[in-house]
Amino acid sequence: MYTEEELGRAKRSITIMAKRNHVSEAQIRAELQEASHASFRCNDSHVQAQWVECEFVGSEPTPEEFITWLAKKVNARIDHSMTIWKTLSFFSARLQAAMRCAVFCITKSLLQILSETTDRNAGGFLYMKATGIVRRIDDLGRVVIPKEIRRTMRIREGDPLEIFTDKDGELIFKKYSPIGELTDFAVQICDSLRRASEGIAAVCDRDTVIAISGGGKRELLDKSISPELAEIMEGRSLFRSSGKRVPVSPADESYCVSVAAPILTEGDVMGCVLFVSTTGAQATEVETKLAQTAALFLGRQMES
């Protein structure tokens, strides 16, 4: 069985992955569990043959057991002299470098490494896509991102971009979400809002739903927000549903906005706090006040 030290390193790696990708440890842990569960139940003989090597105590591997096993497999393929921690660091770095131009999804990427899937269209590994576009840097060091790419990636004028470099010479731009730094707060706030109202509470940045509690997690978490919700945020004022259905995400239009309170920091829109309904019901006064208070709190947290 794996040692306490090995499992401890795996646990720390979850913390590191969460911080690097601006999500909560609970989200990383849940996605790891979902990835291992999906693969563990897979009928593919090649996948099951790999699971024979995995050591675990319960009926299925825990996230820590999953990571430790995966790290050992990577370790065996790269360098037998490397420690588990160095192997995991190497794996994490390579994994992220391959996906920074796409939406980071630890579930899909780990499942790809595990089952060695090659079918990208079936929800496998997220990868960088060549556009065939070449741009020159001007004398001030500026480079223009083509309009079509900005439209597709929903990059607006004034949006911050995070810059990464890779040892292979890659220069990668990733949309930066300031509210993403507060994902742990957002998760806790959603849980508190749900307990206070018994409704579905969510927090989103300007592009995706980053936290949700009370239902709809599978359907909405990490999904793009709808153009209607984006327009509400740009209006910088409280929105309450009055019969018109405003979908939270085009991924599943059965979940609609009951109330949405934009998160403002120094006048700029960073996201919003919302209550969600599947019946089209209007938000109560309590839910409205809760959403406004939570949005104000998150806005002040980012200012500080």
Side-chain angles (χ1 to χ4, degrees):
M1 299 305 294
Y2 303 129
T3 66
E4 288 296 326
E5 183 180 0
E6 289 173 334
L7 294 175
R9 287 173 180 151
K11 186 176 181 179
R12 289 194 293 273
S13 73
I14 292 176
T15 302
I16 291 173
M17 280 191 280
K19 289 182 178 179
R20 287 181 179 177
N21 296 284
H22 313 303
V23 297
S24 67
E25 291 183 33
Q27 184 176 338
I28 291 289
R29 190 177 297 278
E31 292 184 346
L32 285 170
Q33 194 71 64
E34 186 176 350
S36 62
H37 176 78
S39 186
F40 193 76
R41 299 296 181 184
C42 178
N43 294 325
D44 191 307
S45 60
H46 297 289
V47 176
Q48 290 303 318
Q50 295 184 64
W51 277 114
V52 173
E53 306 170 11
C54 184
E55 302 173 6
F56 52 93
V57 177
S59 59
E60 291 187 15
T62 64
E64 288 79 9
E65 291 169 334
F66 181 42
I67 289 177
T68 302
W69 168 65
L70 184 60
K72 282 180 174 289
K73 288 181 70 66
V74 177
N75 185 44
R77 294 178 183 177
I78 300 173
D79 185 348
H80 288 287
S81 66
M82 293 175 69
T83 63
I84 294 296
W85 174 246
K86 288 182 179 179
T87 299
L88 195 56
S89 296
F90 174 85
F91 166 71
S92 178
R94 298 297 301 173
L95 185 66
Q96 292 176 50
M99 293 188 298
R100 281 178 179 139
C101 284
V103 178
F104 184 84
C105 180
I106 194 68
T107 299
K108 294 178 181 178
S109 59
L110 283 175
L111 199 53
Q112 164 67 21
I113 297 296
L114 179 61
S115 61
E116 299 179 353
T117 302
T118 57
D119 184 1
R120 300 180 190 270
N121 294 324
F125 188 60
L126 293 178
Y127 60 103
M128 288 192 293
K129 179 181 178 180
T131 64
I133 299 173
V134 177
R135 287 288 184 268
R136 294 185 182 276
I137 298 177
D138 66 15
D139 55 351
L140 295 178
R142 297 173 299 191
V143 60
V144 176
I145 300 176
K147 183 178 181 179
E148 181 61 25
I149 293 179
R150 282 183 280 131
R151 185 188 64 81
T152 302
M153 300 298 294
R154 300 178 73 174
I155 299 175
R156 311 169 187 84
E157 181 181 349
D159 280 357
L161 297 177
E162 198 169 6
I163 302 174
F164 297 88
T165 59
D166 183 76
K167 65 180 182 180
D168 294 328
E170 295 172 333
L171 181 65
I172 303 163
F173 290 85
K174 177 183 175 183
K175 292 183 68 176
Y176 175 71
S177 171
I179 198 172
E181 300 286 348
L182 300 176
T183 301
D184 288 338
F185 278 116
V187 170
Q188 294 173 17
I189 284 175
C190 286
D191 288 338
S192 298
L193 294 177
R194 177 190 60 81
R195 288 193 295 268
S197 67
E198 299 184 355
I200 302 175
V203 174
C204 64
D205 60 16
R206 296 183 65 185
D207 295 297
T208 60
V209 178
I210 65 170
I212 188 169
S213 181
K217 188 171 185 178
R218 182 182 297 275
E219 294 82 3
L220 298 179
L221 187 62
D222 294 328
K223 298 297 192 299
S224 298
I225 64 172
S226 67
E228 295 90 339
L229 180 54
E231 185 177 346
I232 289 172
M233 282 192 287
E234 290 300 327
R236 291 174 167 76
S237 60
L238 179 71
F239 169 84
R240 294 186 66 181
S241 175
S242 58
K244 179 183 177 181
R245 294 178 66 87
V246 176
V248 176
S249 170
D252 191 332
E253 296 190 355
S254 63
Y255 291 88
C256 296
V257 179
S258 293
V259 61
I263 301 170
L264 302 176
T265 300
E266 297 179 351
D268 294 327
V269 179
M270 298 299 172
C272 74
V273 177
L274 56 150
F275 277 96
V276 181
S277 171
T278 57
T279 62
Q282 294 185 3
T284 64
E285 288 296 331
V286 172
E287 290 175 335
T288 301
K289 294 295 183 183
L290 287 171
Q292 287 178 304
T293 303
L296 181 62
F297 171 76
L298 286 172
R300 288 181 175 175
Q301 283 294 119
M302 283 188 286
E303 287 178 352
S304 61

